[in-house]
Amino acid sequence: MSEDLDSNFARVVRLAEAAGLPEVTVGTSYGTPALLVKDKSFVRMKDGDTLVVMCALEEKEMLLELDPRLYFQTDHYKGWPAMLVRLSEIDDQSLTGRLVAAWREKAPRRLAASFLEPGQAAPPAL
């Protein structure tokens, strides 16, 4: 692996850990480092500066329009629920938000429903 790929993936892992995402493991997907939840990839490195992030198609279209400096796609990803993120451009807070959203896309429903982000209140008990 290249030095950029190693250091950028280390950043992704660090942010996922800091967010407290449960049931996350480090693995590979398409031969590159990836984060998985329950054996399903939710983000993976494409190259030293590009992260493939799973997301809902509606959200993807909005983000591609909102900030093409950060988010983009190639023909390969058109119509697919994943987008590309420029790691050299995105700040840690925005990247953490993308990691949490991607994790929620791939996590089993019950696990996703049980995850509370920092500062998020638990739903009232019935």
Side-chain angles (χ1 to χ4, degrees):
M1 283 193 286
S2 75
E3 189 173 313
D4 284 346
L5 193 138
D6 288 341
S7 63
N8 277 331
F9 187 64
R11 175 185 174 209
V12 170
V13 170
R14 177 179 49 82
L15 293 175
E17 288 173 348
L21 297 175
E23 304 286 333
V24 171
T25 56
V26 173
T28 59
S29 179
Y30 297 97
T32 62
L35 292 181
L36 302 95
V37 57
K38 295 286 190 176
D39 296 322
K40 292 182 180 179
S41 173
F42 65 97
V43 296
R44 77 170 184 89
M45 295 299 295
K46 181 174 183 339
D47 57 45
D49 187 47
T50 310
L51 188 68
V52 179
V53 178
M54 302 307 292
C55 63
L57 285 171
E58 308 79 41
E59 183 180 29
K60 172 183 173 177
E61 296 305 320
M62 178 196 66
L63 289 168
L64 291 174
E65 278 189 42
L66 186 66
D67 201 341
R69 180 180 57 90
L70 298 180
Y71 310 112
F72 68 105
Q73 67 180 343
T74 60
D75 287 343
H76 178 77
Y77 292 96
K78 287 184 178 170
W80 189 254
M83 68 180 169
L84 305 174
V85 177
R86 289 182 180 93
L87 291 172
S88 61
E89 298 290 333
I90 194 167
D91 63 63
D92 284 357
Q93 182 177 356
S94 297
L95 181 53
T96 298
R98 292 289 91 232
L99 294 174
V100 170
W103 179 89
R104 286 188 185 280
E105 279 291 309
K106 290 307 218 176
R109 278 191 211 138
R110 188 170 287 169
L111 181 61
S114 70
F115 174 66
L116 296 176
E117 295 179 54
Q120 184 180 7
L126 296 178

